[in-house]
Amino acid sequence: MEAGTVFPQPPESEAKRAPEDNGGNKGVDGDTVRNPFARLVSHLRASWLSGKTRPMEYRVAQLEALERFLDDKKQQIMDATASDLGKAPFETELSEILVCKNELHETLNNLSHWMKDEKVDRILAMQLDSAFIRKDPYGVVLIIAPWNYPIQLFLVPLIGAIAAGNCVIVKPSEVSKKTERLVAEALPSYLDKHCFAVVTGGVQETTRLLENKFDYIFFTGSPPVGRIVMTAAAKHLTPVTLELGGKNPCYVSDTCDVTNVARRVAWGRFFNAGQTCIAPDYLLCTLEMQEKLLPALQKAINDFYGPNPRESPDFGRIVSDKQFQRLRALLGSGRVAIGGQTDEAERYIAPTVLADVLPSDPVMQEEIFGPILPIIIITNVDEAIDFINSWERPLAVYAFSSDDKVVNRILERTSSGGFCGNDTLMHVTLPSLPFGGIGNSGLGTHHGKFSFDTFSHLRGCLKRGMGRESLNAPRYPPYSQRKFGLIQATLKVAHKSDCTLL
Ligand code: NAD
């Protein structure tokens, strides 16, 4: 499949437009004709301006079409993700299909409520007026997705963008090749082709795409590319959501059920062969706890994947040779206590635990994003907190302890996009929780109502009557102290403690 291809192709009539008639889409340096995607963006903006995406019935029809896409293409999705990532059918059904369906149902169940204008309090001068917040769509949205959950990570934001009434271009990752092809070829036939499109390609094509003026950009990927996207967005003052990555710490206190901790940590680390943005990236515990955890982790890995995980149908593969080489080089950090086997031809890396790792080791210098779990030794909870706070703020912090006070202490004294006590990953499955990063791990949130809000501009609206002009007289020149007194009486917001009614 040729990179930079648009699915579906915009109609011929758009090609005949004069360069100045570009639907408000001026590329960098005013170059509108030469940007390969300018015509597409113009076409979507014209559709958005026509108002067709605004009615609730339209949004519902497009969301229902997304559900049909998931149902009709379920087997192809399973095959494509198995080919790209060796993903087990169970993991695909859970993380690519069920998560998207939950998001769709949550949105369909609540959309009419979310879309309603919100009435707001009015001051004395506006008691006869109507004041409300309108949830306005932004316009034309660009969604850029990564490869690790190649369906979920474009579809969940797409649900929010459609629910909020936008037109959308989706740019899936070129790394998860089979899924990219499936999405590009199959998705457009389910959606209104005048409002939604898929663009394929890598760095070169995405760079050209980003030259266009979008009304919102939703990016999921690595922090360095997040900076590139935000810089491109800044040229047009386009607002962004950045869902990024980083190293998620996992503190294990001395008082805990070691078997349960090991199973929950191993599941979170080795799901999707560790290629999960919220996976626990490293463990922080005392030396005594490390010695208890190692056999428990070994047992959990054995229970999950058998004595040879390479033969397990439930353990995935690394997405590309480049990622495989990067990960293999990290195995030299600390001491390999569990796993460590690799097979380049299969891009297989065994579920691996590295003991006695130092903060200066290579495995601690970057987000691991693979099936490798280092353990860093600390002496107590305060040292763990200081350690966490000395790094960039992560997407998730995990804390395990049978003592709720210890879990709360980690929650209160650290900062991260999200938090999960006594488990891993599960907080992301709740559509009622916002999902997003902070600092280096991202900007903005999505999931459920938070997605709808992300893709909606909160338009503050006041509607007044044409008459009653005498009520406006005090605000017009010539000004006087008396007029100001009247204005103050009707416009002032009283501080509650000023109230002397009782
Ligand atoms: P990436 O940043 O390399 O690529 C993401 C997207 O950006 C892809 O579609 C890619 O084509 C595009 N891209 C890459 N380089 C670009 C450039 N120079 N200019 C413009 N576009 C470019 O990320 P990845 O390797 O696909 O995914 C892994 C990263 O994503 C990890 O850091 C992971 O933590 C993060 N991630 C975050 C979340 C989240 O929800 N916060 C979810 C999944 C993955």
Side-chain angles (χ1 to χ4, degrees):
M1 186 173 46
E2 205 183 319
T5 311
V6 173
F7 298 83
Q9 285 290 311
E12 259 315 291
S13 59
E14 285 297 305
K16 295 184 188 115
R17 280 178 163 216
E20 335 40 273
D21 180 18
N22 60 24
N25 175 49
K26 266 203 192 299
V28 171
D29 303 330
D31 178 358
T32 53
V33 239
R34 270 175 291 164
N35 186 292
F37 306 107
R39 198 153 58 86
L40 172 67
V41 178
S42 286
H43 181 67
L44 296 196
R45 183 158 288 109
S47 299
W48 182 71
L49 287 169
S50 77
K52 72 187 295 196
T53 59
R54 287 182 182 253
M56 191 176 85
E57 297 68 31
Y58 177 90
R59 305 182 196 193
V60 167
Q62 300 302 310
L63 293 171
E64 286 173 347
L66 285 183
E67 182 146 25
R68 282 199 300 282
F69 164 76
L70 286 173
D71 288 337
D72 296 352
K73 301 295 171 193
K74 185 170 165 183
Q75 192 52 50
Q76 285 96 320
I77 291 172
M78 301 281 202
D79 295 344
T81 52
S83 168
D84 287 331
L85 289 142
K87 221 178 253 209
F90 181 97
E91 291 192 0
T92 299
E93 195 148 350
L94 174 61
S95 63
E96 308 281 13
I97 297 184
L98 183 66
V99 165
C100 294
K101 285 205 164 200
N102 281 353
E103 190 73 17
L104 269 169
H105 297 161
E106 172 82 1
T107 305
L108 286 165
N109 290 344
N110 293 290
L111 187 58
S112 62
H113 175 58
W114 295 344
M115 282 176 68
K116 275 204 184 97
D117 287 345
E118 243 173 74
K119 289 217 165 24
V120 296
D121 289 346
R122 288 156 303 167
I123 51 177
L124 185 62
M126 288 162 193
Q127 288 302 311
L128 299 172
D129 305 330
S130 153
F132 56 92
I133 300 167
R134 168 68 49 94
K135 322 290 174 52
D136 246 3
Y138 272 98
V140 181
V141 168
L142 172 62
I143 294 174
I144 302 176
W147 48 261
N148 58 328
Y149 291 91
I151 296 290
Q152 183 203 138
L153 292 175
F154 85 81
L155 202 59
V156 169
L158 178 61
I159 292 166
I162 292 176
N166 298 283
C167 290
V168 187
I169 293 178
V170 171
K171 210 301 287 176
S173 173
E174 74 288 11
V175 178
S176 38
K177 292 188 199 69
K178 287 271 168 37
T179 318
E180 180 200 37
R181 176 184 277 268
L182 171 67
V183 171
E185 290 178 355
L187 184 72
S189 61
Y190 287 83
L191 296 172
D192 178 349
K193 65 181 186 308
H194 295 290
C195 298
F196 307 101
V198 177
V199 167
T200 59
V203 176
Q204 208 184 332
E205 294 75 22
T206 316
T207 304
R208 297 307 311 272
L209 192 55
L210 282 165
E211 287 169 6
N212 294 278
K213 180 179 166 58
F214 289 95
D215 303 303
Y216 203 96
I217 298 176
F218 189 103
F219 171 80
T220 306
S222 59
V225 179
R227 284 188 186 87
I228 294 171
V229 170
M230 198 168 180
T231 304
K235 289 202 179 112
H236 299 288
L237 293 178
T238 298
V240 292
T241 291
L242 302 176
E243 295 283 356
L244 310 178
K247 293 182 83 62
N248 305 308
C250 178
Y251 171 68
V252 182
S253 90
D254 283 337
T255 52
C256 61
D257 181 322
V258 180
T259 305
N260 289 353
V261 174
R263 290 171 71 82
R264 294 174 198 189
V265 167
W267 178 71
R269 174 73 277 188
F270 302 123
F271 193 94
N272 201 27
Q275 299 162 114
T276 303
C277 58
I278 49 163
D281 189 271
Y282 60 91
L283 294 186
L284 289 169
C285 65
T286 60
L287 189 59
E288 299 77 63
M289 182 45 67
Q290 173 178 274
E291 296 320 307
K292 288 184 198 160
L293 270 173
L294 287 175
L297 282 165
Q298 177 69 76
K299 178 161 184 344
I301 291 167
N302 214 63
D303 289 350
F304 293 174
Y305 307 113
N308 184 4
R310 188 172 161 178
E311 283 165 12
S312 165
D314 297 330
F315 185 69
R317 295 295 183 266
I318 306 308
V319 73
S320 66
D321 292 337
K322 187 175 151 201
Q323 291 293 330
F324 175 84
Q325 305 293 354
R326 181 185 66 77
L327 285 162
R328 190 165 58 178
L330 300 181
L331 293 173
S333 300
R335 157 173 71 91
V336 176
I338 300 170
Q341 302 82 0
T342 63
D343 181 337
E344 187 165 0
E346 274 189 35
R347 296 194 308 275
Y348 166 77
I349 295 182
T352 297
V353 180
L354 303 174
D356 306 326
V357 171
L358 297 174
S360 55
D361 283 334
V363 77
M364 289 303 291
Q365 307 315 309
E366 59 188 83
E367 178 183 5
I368 298 171
F369 222 55
I372 304 172
L373 181 67
I375 304 181
I376 301 266
I377 302 299
I378 40 89
T379 52
N380 56 44
V381 64
D382 287 326
E383 199 181 321
I385 289 167
D386 290 344
F387 188 91
I388 294 169
N389 289 338
S390 69
W391 293 70
E392 293 282 11
R393 286 192 272 180
L395 196 53
V397 164
Y398 299 108
F400 285 87
S401 178
S402 312
D403 183 351
D404 199 38
K405 285 201 198 80
V406 175
V407 173
N408 278 337
R409 192 163 168 75
I410 297 278
L411 173 59
E412 277 161 25
R413 297 270 314 280
T414 61
S415 168
S416 60
F419 178 87
C420 185
N422 291 326
D423 210 340
T424 60
L425 313 192
M426 290 307 290
H427 61 299
V428 78
T429 60
L430 248 190
S432 48
L433 284 179
F435 179 73
I438 180 169
N440 201 61
S441 59
L443 176 71
T445 57
H446 74 310
H447 285 192
K449 165 95 161 49
F450 303 97
S451 287
F452 178 84
D453 289 346
T454 283
F455 289 109
S456 300
H457 165 62
L458 298 186
R459 194 173 184 188
C461 304
L462 178 70
K463 288 202 293 185
R464 316 200 76 190
M466 275 303 293
R468 301 189 291 268
E469 184 59 5
S470 58
L471 293 176
N472 292 332
R475 74 176 194 227
Y476 300 136
Y479 299 133
S480 69
Q481 250 336 99
R482 194 183 141 271
K483 282 184 171 180
F484 187 73
L486 284 168
I487 285 282
Q488 201 176 23
T490 56
L491 285 187
K492 189 176 170 187
V493 176
H495 188 291
K496 288 246 164 79
S497 66
D498 291 348
C499 182
T500 52
L501 275 180
L502 289 177

